[in-house]
Amino acid sequence: TQASVSTSTYTYTLPAGKWLLGIAVSSASGQSFNLGLSAGTDELIQGGIVSPGGVSTFGANLYAGGSSLSLYFSALSGSTTLTFLTL
């Protein structure tokens, strides 16, 4: 699954019964972002770095269980592409 984001925050919903194995973040401009289990938090990724024009990957290993799981990206800048590897 892929999302193009041009706002500073983004919410991704992992469907019930699915695993999130990894996340790739690409951006034309360099940035540092956070990822948490509620808006504005950073339990999962704190200060995730993306180089200008680069792609950074992050392992996740999260299971949604019997209901969906929301993940919150914050401090995104510019135009960002988020790619989610799910199973």
Side-chain angles (χ1 to χ4, degrees), residues 14 17 24 37 58 64:
L14 180 63
L37 297 172
F58 303 89

Side-chain angles (χ1 to χ4, degrees), residues 14-72:
L14 180 63
K18 296 288 185 179
W19 282 90
L20 176 62
L21 302 177
I23 303 165
V25 182
S26 61
S27 178
S29 59
Q31 62 177 292
S32 175
F33 69 94
N34 298 315
L35 175 62
L37 297 172
S38 58
T41 63
D42 60 7
E43 306 93 333
L44 302 174
I45 298 174
Q46 180 182 28
I49 302 294
V50 181
S51 298
V55 177
S56 293
T57 58
F58 303 89
N61 204 24
L62 292 172
Y63 180 61
S67 61
S68 62
L69 176 65
S70 294
L71 305 175
Y72 300 86

